[in-house]
Amino acid sequence: MSTRRYPHSSVSPEEFHKWLSTLICVLNSVYFVLNMITLQKLGLGTMQLAVATFAGFCLYKSSNGFYRPWHSYALLISLTINILLSIAVMDLVAGATYWGLALPFWYYSLFGLRKGFIFSAIIVLSAAMVIFFRTDTQVFMPYRTIFNFTLVYCSIWLVCHIYEVQRQKTSEFLHSLALQDDLTNLKNRHALKADFQAFQHSFESMHMLIIDIDHFKNINDKYGHDIGDSVLIKVADALMQSIHTKEIYRLGGEEFVILFKNINDKEAFRQAEKVRKAVELGIFFSHNEPIKLTVSIGISSLRPEHEFTDFLRAADQKLYQAKREGRNRVCA
């Protein structure tokens, strides 16, 4: 399958970051007022003002299209420090520990499975240590509080982890549906375009082969579409077995495409001939009746001015030249 990367949630990290920045900015502004004016917690209030200011900065940047991944890291690190500091400074009855329970959800939503797990593990240990060293009253029971906090935190952490695992599996499945041809299991036209964009400036040369099965309509008319589908599957298998590359695509109908990277014109022609002979020498069956196939192949070489449609059109023109010249041949 294509190696293109996709956002790791249905809501993009940029969008989630923007809304999280809004929430953090508003909440820390409220807590800043409460702690500075009502509770006289000057140090904590100053910290919350700094977090609110940075969250406002992140909101401004993301709203104007200047989001950077480090904004999310810095935002959540500052929020995490703020929560841990609140747990350490505030009375337990103030409930600052409750905010720590929301952290796994934010970590997994912004950073994905692996980093979400690492951040969540660090925080549960850090929060437990902060709670343990709290001795604000004689009736305070650190072991009991740590036990309850850890159990609830780990329960939420487990749910977030399971959800993210399932979400990734669903994302990969949808990814395969979007980029894979469901009949032949080759990559499809969308994957071809995505791969071209990824490869375009990464290799010194690139060649495209368009392969068309000769007189395929006659096969469908004579044997039926179920046999035609079987022939397409067998041709796809022949292509995969005749050459060593993962860049093989079904363009649509009876047309296939192969991309070659960092080879010269002579080698591209040799590979095309190898494919043509593999199909010509192969035997395809309709029940007990053998079907002989041939293919016509057009080759284009990527030029600096080529976009995807130009590259494809150039190969297509060579394919039609091969058909005009009698089929079962390669034109470059």
Side-chain angles (χ1 to χ4, degrees):
M1 292 304 302
S2 173
T3 58
R4 307 289 74 75
R5 297 184 66 87
Y6 288 80
H8 55 65
S9 65
S10 55
V11 177
S12 68
E14 294 88 344
E15 189 68 18
F16 188 88
H17 170 84
K18 182 170 70 174
W19 288 107
L20 182 59
S21 299
T22 304
L23 176 64
I24 293 174
C25 183
V26 171
L27 288 176
N28 277 273
S29 297
V30 172
Y31 279 113
F32 160 72
V33 174
L34 290 175
N35 287 316
M36 291 291 284
I37 298 176
T38 307
L39 302 177
Q40 300 297 308
K41 300 283 187 179
L42 302 184
L44 184 59
T46 302
M47 176 69 183
Q48 288 165 341
L49 176 62
V51 174
T53 302
F54 182 70
F57 165 81
C58 291
L59 175 60
Y60 171 79
K61 287 291 187 180
S62 58
S63 298
N64 289 277
F66 297 110
Y67 168 78
R68 297 293 182 270
W70 72 265
H71 293 167
S72 295
Y73 286 96
L75 183 64
L76 277 187
I77 288 173
S78 61
L79 175 63
T80 301
I81 293 173
N82 184 20
I83 290 174
L84 292 176
L85 183 61
S86 297
I87 296 173
V89 172
M90 301 296 292
D91 295 334
L92 280 178
V93 293
T97 53
Y98 300 151
W99 283 106
L101 301 176
L103 289 173
F105 170 74
W106 293 333
Y107 291 149
Y108 277 94
S109 297
L110 276 175
F111 305 136
L113 188 64
R114 182 172 175 271
K115 291 179 181 178
F117 180 88
I118 293 172
F119 278 109
S120 298
I122 292 173
I123 293 311
V124 71
L125 295 175
S126 302
M129 289 178 61
V130 171
I131 294 172
F132 178 78
F133 288 109
R134 281 292 311 277
T135 55
D136 50 353
T137 69
Q138 293 181 351
V139 296
F140 177 63
M141 302 174 66
Y143 296 106
R144 188 173 173 183
T145 305
I146 290 172
F147 179 75
N148 286 318
F149 173 83
T150 303
L151 280 183
V152 176
Y153 183 96
C154 289
S155 298
I156 296 172
W157 179 10
L158 178 62
V159 171
C160 292
H161 191 83
I162 293 173
Y163 172 81
E164 182 62 19
V165 169
Q166 189 60 43
R167 191 212 55 77
Q168 286 195 5
K169 289 181 180 179
T170 303
S171 179
E172 289 170 3
F173 174 69
L174 294 175
H175 184 195
S176 68
L177 288 181
L179 299 178
Q180 186 176 26
D181 177 62
D182 58 353
L183 177 65
T184 62
N185 288 328
L186 296 177
K187 293 189 274 189
N188 62 17
R189 186 187 183 100
H190 298 297
L192 170 63
K193 188 173 182 178
D195 285 348
F196 169 80
Q197 292 171 347
F199 299 154
Q200 185 176 12
H201 303 295
S202 301
F203 298 93
E204 293 183 1
S205 65
M206 187 157 58
H207 291 77
M208 177 186 288
L209 277 58
I210 292 189
I211 303 156
D212 185 88
I213 303 174
D214 295 327
H215 303 297
F216 183 73
K217 183 177 183 299
N218 295 339
I219 296 174
N220 278 333
D221 293 342
K222 182 177 180 180
Y223 301 105
H225 287 278
D226 56 336
I227 298 301
D229 288 347
S230 177
V231 167
L232 291 173
I233 294 171
K234 294 296 183 182
V235 169
D237 291 340
L239 296 181
M240 289 187 288
Q241 292 171 9
S242 63
I243 56 174
H244 301 290
T245 180
K246 295 181 180 179
E247 279 69 54
I248 307 176
Y249 313 82
R250 184 185 175 199
L251 191 61
E254 68 273 22
E255 287 189 334
F256 300 85
V257 167
I258 302 175
L259 290 182
F260 287 108
K261 307 180 291 291
N262 284 344
I263 63 173
N264 55 34
D265 293 346
K266 184 177 180 181
E267 178 62 17
F269 191 89
R270 190 184 75 81
Q271 292 290 340
E273 274 292 323
K274 188 177 179 181
V275 169
R276 186 192 65 79
K277 290 178 181 177
V279 175
E280 183 182 28
L281 297 176
I283 299 178
F284 305 86
F285 288 92
S286 166
H287 305 300
N288 294 323
E289 182 181 349
I291 301 174
K292 295 294 292 181
L293 297 177
T294 60
V295 294
S296 300
I297 303 177
I299 305 175
S300 65
S301 176
L302 182 65
R303 297 178 180 176
E305 69 275 12
H306 273 170
E307 294 299 329
F308 175 73
T309 53
D310 304 318
F311 195 28
L312 187 64
R313 188 184 302 112
D316 207 37
Q317 290 171 351
K318 292 298 181 181
L319 171 65
Y320 280 101
Q321 179 183 339
K323 287 184 173 292
R324 287 195 302 269
E325 293 178 2
R327 294 184 169 84
N328 191 26
R329 65 187 64 239
V330 177
C331 285

